[in-house]
Amino acid sequence: MSRLAIALDLGTSGFRAQAMDLANGVVISTVITNRHPLPGTNVIDHLHFALELGVETARDLMLQAINKILAKSGVSLDDVMRLAVCGNPTQLSLFQGMEIRDLAFAGSRKLKALGVTMPQRTAEVRTAGEFPGLTLPDACDIIIPPAVHDEVGADALALIIQSGILDCEEPAIAIDYGTNAEMALSYQGRIFTGSAAAGPALEGQHISCGTLAMPGAIADMEAVGPYHRLLVLDGDMLPTAGPLIDLRMAGEAIESVGSVARAITGTGVIAALDQALEAGIISLPEIRSADGALHFGKNIYLTEADMGEAGKAIGAIRAGYVTLGVEAGIAPMDIRTAYLAGASGTYVDAHKSGRLGLIPPGVEQVKQVGNTSLAMARELVMTPSRLEAMADLAERLGHTHTMFAKSKIFSRLFLLELSRWTEGMPMATYREMLSRFHLPDLPESTPMIVQAMKRDISDLGRRGLTTLESVGLVVALRPEGCLACMGCMEVCPTSALAIDSMSNSTTIYLDHALCNGVACRRCEPVCEPKVFHLIDFFGAKRAAACEEA
């Protein structure tokens, strides 16, 4: 009988999993999703959903998605002996069905008034039998790493351990360009951590034509005279030459060759902003094209609103690493090495990201380290004793973490970033304001990549990559009094709604994974008879069940 294991990264924007052979550590297959199964694109959305519908409902939806992933792994689930998960505190808490109100509400008085008992998010090994509905043998070990506290979870610990920053003698920083933008600064044997609420734009989410890193995604672009050659991820998640396009012009590409582009991912957004700024097509906060958008071929574009979302993410990251430097007693110019993690850290061009401010200006070398969260999960299934090292590190970090939400330095820096991206503050004025605030200067960065990865998951396994397109639950309702005006469907920014008005009564379908959640709700105010209530869909039955009723 084979002895198998599953390594699982519970990311805020999507899940990534690998099946492994425990006998030799060989990766068998890789399965990724294009969304998170819960409505929304950030932890606040996911927490809000769980608070309104219940942690058990959120957990059930996550387990259903995990079961879909397991079914696509191509291995016998009866032979799986271990599953290791990695992720931030919110994702791991929902996966375990734990108390989450301490993550959703700030202040000890509020939590006391709610009767919240603070949970201990320690390292532990449970069994699949404790996760009803999970399609693994009851005796299968479920390995769950620890969290430092509500902001620093197992994914941040993985970033520190897997990047190699602990062995770096000179000042160095590790950054995961994700929704929460975990970062760790190493200086004189100490590790300073922070988590910037960057939002999902640098992962291709909350972008009009955005997507996570997956086949068909625009990951980069290079100037070719007045035009740009797109670099598109192929079926093996490798950047390959794609169409030649004119950023100013909508419609067909100048030259349609190579890989077909279907959407743009976070690193493609970074590349587009950098190249458009270099070409003078962008003069912040405006895009100087006929329709105020950057174009990458037919029906793929980037709007000024998208640029604003990306600018906020870039600003949060720059404000974050400057704040950590101040806490450590060094300037950004003192940081010599940067470790970039995740898909964005892998496919991003260091020079482009440096010009935009995503890398500290003193960095001389960039090392790409891929998906550290998934790498940590792989290590845990092969060597469960590594949980002890994670627990020891978590104890150390409890004393050197900076909560950016409470930092005046971060607030001032982020305000300057917002002024730059949304109001067009010149960089000269920006740097003058830094001096006025007694903050370190931020000249342009010109780093060099000395350690490159072809893709964020280096080994896809002998069965290769499977992308799970449908990860969420599709539900259906027949609101009494619905006029089938299509207003809710037309304003939905993610096309999460579909309407069938051919039957006697109108049926509205909602895809949980595509929905931006209760923080969006653009669908509700446009309903003329006021019978559309988004929350009703979160407690609704599956679409198939509704059709049979």
Side-chain angles (χ1 to χ4, degrees):
M1 183 179 73
S2 300
R3 298 173 65 248
L4 305 177
I6 302 291
L8 177 60
D9 168 29
L10 298 175
T12 303
S13 297
F15 296 169
R16 300 193 167 204
Q18 292 191 298
M20 301 179 64
D21 189 330
L22 283 174
N24 51 26
V26 170
V27 175
I28 299 170
S29 62
T30 302
V31 184
I32 66 175
T33 72
N34 61 357
R35 295 280 294 199
H36 193 287
L38 299 186
T41 57
N42 56 62
V43 293
I44 301 302
D45 291 337
H46 298 159
L47 287 170
H48 200 159
F49 176 86
L51 289 171
E52 291 216 21
L53 276 295
V55 171
E56 285 302 316
T57 298
R59 183 193 196 191
D60 287 346
L61 289 174
M62 289 178 70
L63 291 182
Q64 288 175 36
I66 293 170
N67 285 339
K68 289 183 179 181
I69 291 170
L70 294 173
K72 293 289 186 180
S73 65
V75 300
S76 170
L77 299 184
D78 291 336
D79 296 333
V80 176
M81 302 182 67
R82 293 176 195 152
L83 179 145
V85 296
C86 200
N88 63 43
T90 295
Q91 305 306 330
L92 292 186
S93 295
L94 291 175
F95 172 74
Q96 296 177 81
M98 291 175 59
E99 172 68 77
I100 59 165
R101 287 176 294 175
D102 63 308
L103 302 175
F105 301 107
S108 56
R109 290 185 179 179
K110 175 68 173 179
L111 296 176
K112 185 177 180 180
L114 292 171
V116 175
T117 300
M118 298 295 285
Q120 296 297 311
R121 295 183 173 88
T122 55
E124 60 180 337
V125 179
R126 300 172 65 179
T127 64
E130 300 175 65
F131 293 79
L134 187 62
T135 54
L136 288 174
D138 285 350
C140 173
D141 286 336
I142 308 294
I143 302 170
I144 303 170
V148 179
H149 44 64
D150 59 350
E151 281 198 348
V152 178
D155 53 348
L157 297 174
L159 172 67
I160 294 167
I161 294 171
Q162 296 294 324
S163 66
I165 194 173
L166 293 173
D167 300 322
C168 194
E169 295 181 358
E170 60 186 6
I173 195 161
I175 305 174
D176 188 339
Y177 293 149
T179 303
N180 300 311
E182 290 84 9
M183 56 187 74
L185 173 65
S186 173
Y187 178 59
Q188 294 185 341
R190 301 181 71 192
I191 301 291
F192 299 82
T193 59
S195 178
L202 298 189
E203 292 186 300
Q205 305 290 289
H206 273 197
I207 298 294
S208 298
C209 302
T211 180
L212 296 180
M214 59 182 54
I218 301 167
D220 199 357
M221 63 188 64
E222 299 292 347
V224 181
Y227 307 123
H228 288 82
R229 175 73 64 189
L230 301 180
L231 296 179
V232 182
L233 299 182
D234 65 10
D236 291 322
M237 296 288 283
L238 297 174
T240 57
L244 187 69
I245 53 97
D246 184 339
L247 289 172
R248 298 176 178 84
M249 300 296 293
E252 299 292 341
I254 303 297
E255 180 182 280
S256 298
V257 298
S259 298
V260 176
R262 295 185 173 86
I264 186 166
T265 193
T267 56
V269 172
I270 292 170
L273 295 182
D274 172 77
Q275 292 295 284
L277 282 164
E278 289 287 298
I281 303 171
I282 289 178
S283 177
L284 292 176
E286 298 178 350
I287 296 176
R288 292 180 170 178
S289 65
D291 59 355
L294 299 177
H295 295 275
F296 315 104
K298 191 174 182 180
N299 299 324
I300 309 176
Y301 53 85
L302 194 73
T303 68
E304 289 180 353
D306 296 330
M307 182 171 67
E309 287 293 319
K312 292 174 188 175
I314 294 167
I317 290 170
R318 176 141 65 174
Y321 67 65
V322 174
T323 301
L324 285 188
V326 172
E327 292 292 330
I330 61 174
M333 289 298 296
D334 298 323
I335 302 171
R336 292 288 178 262
T337 302
Y339 298 85
L340 306 186
S344 293
T346 300
Y347 300 116
V348 74
D349 181 294
H351 295 102
K352 296 184 181 78
S353 57
R355 285 192 291 262
L356 291 180
L358 283 163
I359 297 175
V363 166
E364 297 170 346
Q365 54 183 9
V366 170
K367 298 183 179 181
Q368 297 173 333
V369 293
N371 188 321
T372 52
S373 185
L374 184 59
M376 193 76 242
R378 285 199 306 267
E379 189 170 327
L380 287 173
V381 293
M382 295 306 301
T383 312
S385 60
R386 289 292 285 162
L387 269 180
E388 297 177 12
M390 294 189 77
D392 291 342
L393 179 59
E395 180 65 26
R396 286 174 54 191
L397 295 181
H399 307 291
T400 56
H401 179 71
T402 298
M403 295 190 69
F404 293 151
K406 296 182 179 180
S407 169
K408 291 183 179 179
I409 295 170
F410 182 90
S411 298
R412 286 176 174 174
L413 283 162
F414 188 58
L415 181 60
L416 289 179
E417 288 290 330
L418 287 180
S419 297
R420 178 170 180 252
W421 286 98
T422 63
E423 298 177 16
M425 174 187 281
M427 199 60 195
T429 306
Y430 181 111
R431 294 172 71 180
E432 181 183 330
M433 294 301 295
L434 288 176
S435 176
R436 189 174 300 179
F437 288 146
H438 304 290
L439 294 170
D441 193 18
L442 289 168
E444 190 173 284
S445 173
T446 56
M448 176 190 303
I449 293 182
V450 298
Q451 176 181 310
M453 294 188 69
K454 292 182 178 180
R455 54 184 171 230
D456 63 319
I457 305 174
S458 58
D459 182 3
L460 298 178
R462 64 173 183 264
R463 291 181 179 269
L465 174 71
T466 299
T467 301
L468 192 58
E469 298 288 347
S470 178
V471 66
L473 188 65
V474 178
V475 298
L477 283 181
R478 294 169 180 157
E480 186 175 348
C482 176
L483 302 177
C485 67
M486 306 296 177
C488 57
M489 188 174 72
E490 290 171 357
V491 299
C492 179
T494 58
S495 300
L497 291 166
I499 297 178
D500 176 10
S501 59
M502 300 300 291
S503 55
N504 293 332
S505 59
T506 300
T507 301
I508 304 178
Y509 298 87
L510 174 74
D511 188 327
H512 277 193
L514 293 180
C515 177
N516 278 342
V518 290
C520 175
R521 278 184 161 140
R522 298 185 192 181
C523 45
E524 290 186 349
V526 299
C527 179
E528 294 182 15
K530 304 303 177 186
V531 297
F532 186 104
H533 304 291
L534 183 63
I535 199 71
D536 293 343
F537 286 85
F538 297 149
K541 297 182 293 184
R542 288 178 181 272
C546 182
E547 289 172 345
E548 293 168 3

